Amino acid sequence: MDGEVNETYITLEGHVELDRFRYLYFAVMLAAYVCIVVCNLTIVYVIWTHENLHEPMYVFIAALLLNSVVFSTNIYPKLLSDFLSEKQIISYSACYVQFFLFYSLSGSEFLLLAAMAYDRYVSICKPLQYATIMGRNTVSIYLSLAWLVPASVLAVQVILSSNIKLCKSNFQGIFCNNSIYSAHCLNSEVNVVFGAVALVVIGFFPLIFIVFTYSRILIISYRSSKEVRKKAAQTCSPHLLVLISFSCLCAFDVIIARLGSNLTKLIRLIMTLQAVLYHPLFNPIIYGLKMKEISKQLRRLFSQAKVL
């Protein structure tokens, strides 16, 4: 096919005025990455070391925060390296590894949020059956499925996409997401159909389940006592805030993929950074402040650190 190129490396052309602000970009993003890792792992440590937090809800929170750390580690080291490099390039195979982890871990977050919604439903609406339904084996199965299902779906997507030839050796992005499709010579019907199926399986279905589950919790809580309504508000509101935040992340990614060519370079960069900057920082802040038991243990941990 005319115009085909088989470049080993792809140039990432989504950076804005990198020559002028490279050290500022590097400092800000390094500080953000350190904060993401420290804040998320601190809460995971607190949950891990306190037996009273070894309940399904907190186990799912720890899994969600670990997912955020891996998600960020997939993006930040390469991004920081690019800020200090003369050329912002990535190999075709490494690009697809980054693509795979980005969307696989995003799908895992949706499924973890779905598991957390179900956990809250059982706790609030079926409290007497909670210990039986949400046993250790059940939690282990949910966690396994949350990571294995998106990984399996995305693995097939990557295999189908990686065999498509490139017509360009560059695209407007700062890391490998859906923007990589703009460098393809064509998209096969099989790839497009499977991509839609993948979106439904790891995105749309979990979102519908989450909305339905919290709607049921809202209805049942409204009909119940004040104590039940208070419990629902205290334990569900952090999860809903995280869901809204993550849904915004996904919306930004879709907008960039669909309207990328119509967006200015600066707007595209800002929207891309939203996906990797505020959400991984937002999760530990919300759970650290809004979850009473976690907040109490964090205050105790920091007070001990001050004494030392």
Side-chain angles (χ1 to χ4, degrees):
M1 180 181 294
D2 293 338
E4 287 182 2
V5 292
N6 289 311
E7 296 288 339
T8 305
Y9 291 91
I10 297 173
T11 303
L12 305 173
E13 297 187 340
H15 296 275
V16 177
E17 296 194 53
L18 189 57
D19 291 336
R20 185 179 177 185
F21 298 114
R22 69 170 69 245
Y23 296 111
L24 176 61
Y25 288 155
F26 180 84
V28 170
M29 297 306 285
L30 178 61
Y33 181 52
V34 171
C35 286
I36 288 168
V37 173
V38 171
C39 292
N40 281 280
L41 291 186
T42 298
I43 295 180
V44 171
Y45 170 78
V46 166
I47 293 172
W48 179 270
T49 55
H50 293 85
E51 289 191 10
N52 65 314
L53 299 180
H54 292 180
E55 298 177 6
M57 178 177 68
Y58 298 111
V59 172
F60 287 133
I61 290 173
L64 193 73
L65 298 180
L66 283 174
N67 198 73
S68 291
V69 172
V70 179
F71 177 89
S72 299
T73 302
N74 177 49
I75 302 296
Y76 277 83
K78 177 65 174 75
L79 196 58
L80 292 170
S81 174
D82 283 344
F83 289 147
L84 300 181
S85 302
E86 290 300 320
K87 293 183 179 181
Q88 292 69 50
I89 58 175
I90 186 170
S91 69
Y92 193 41
S93 57
C95 190
Y96 266 109
V97 171
Q98 193 175 62
F99 173 95
F100 167 79
L101 289 173
F102 181 82
Y103 289 107
S104 175
L105 294 170
S106 296
S108 295
E109 180 139 356
F110 260 129
L111 291 177
L112 286 170
L113 287 170
M116 293 161 80
Y118 181 68
D119 171 76
R120 291 300 83 208
Y121 170 77
V122 176
S123 175
I124 293 167
C125 303
K126 299 181 179 181
L128 298 179
Q129 300 174 316
Y130 182 76
T132 303
I133 296 174
M134 298 302 295
R136 180 174 295 181
N137 289 337
T138 303
V139 172
S140 299
I141 291 171
Y142 288 164
L143 289 175
S144 299
L145 290 175
W147 279 305
L148 290 176
V149 171
S152 301
V153 172
L154 263 298
V156 176
Q157 178 75 9
V158 167
I159 291 170
L160 291 174
S161 300
S162 60
N163 292 324
I164 299 175
K165 293 185 180 295
L166 295 175
C167 278
K168 295 192 299 181
S169 59
N170 62 285
F171 64 83
Q172 296 295 325
I174 60 174
F175 60 86
C176 295
N177 55 6
N178 273 325
S179 299
I180 193 175
Y181 290 133
S182 65
H184 288 165
C185 296
L186 55 87
N187 277 327
S188 67
E189 290 186 8
V190 173
N191 194 45
V192 172
V193 170
F194 191 84
V197 172
L199 180 62
V200 169
V201 171
I202 65 176
F204 184 71
F205 281 168
L207 181 60
I208 293 299
F209 177 80
I210 293 168
V211 172
F212 173 78
T213 303
Y214 282 120
S215 298
R216 290 288 300 161
I217 292 173
L218 181 64
I219 293 170
I220 293 173
S221 300
Y222 181 76
R223 296 172 179 172
S224 302
S225 64
K226 183 179 179 180
E227 184 179 344
V228 173
R229 290 196 295 271
K230 183 179 179 181
K231 178 183 177 181
Q234 287 178 341
T235 61
C236 292
S237 58
H239 304 324
L240 287 172
L241 288 172
V242 170
L243 174 64
I244 293 169
S245 169
F246 186 63
S247 298
C248 291
L249 179 157
C250 296
F252 286 143
D253 187 67
V254 171
I255 291 170
I256 292 168
R258 299 300 179 188
L259 302 177
S261 60
N262 297 322
L263 298 172
T264 66
K265 200 171 184 178
L266 179 60
I267 296 298
R268 186 164 50 242
L269 175 64
I270 292 172
M271 293 181 70
T272 301
L273 288 175
Q274 298 302 307
V276 297
L277 185 59
Y278 82 85
H279 183 69
L281 278 172
F282 187 74
N283 285 358
I285 292 172
I286 287 298
Y287 288 123
L289 294 177
K290 300 291 287 185
M291 301 301 290
K292 185 177 178 181
E293 285 299 317
I294 293 177
S295 180
K296 182 172 71 174
Q297 296 299 341
L298 283 173
R299 287 196 298 270
R300 185 174 299 173
L301 177 66
F302 292 143
S303 64
Q304 290 174 351
K306 287 181 180 180
V307 172
L308 295 175

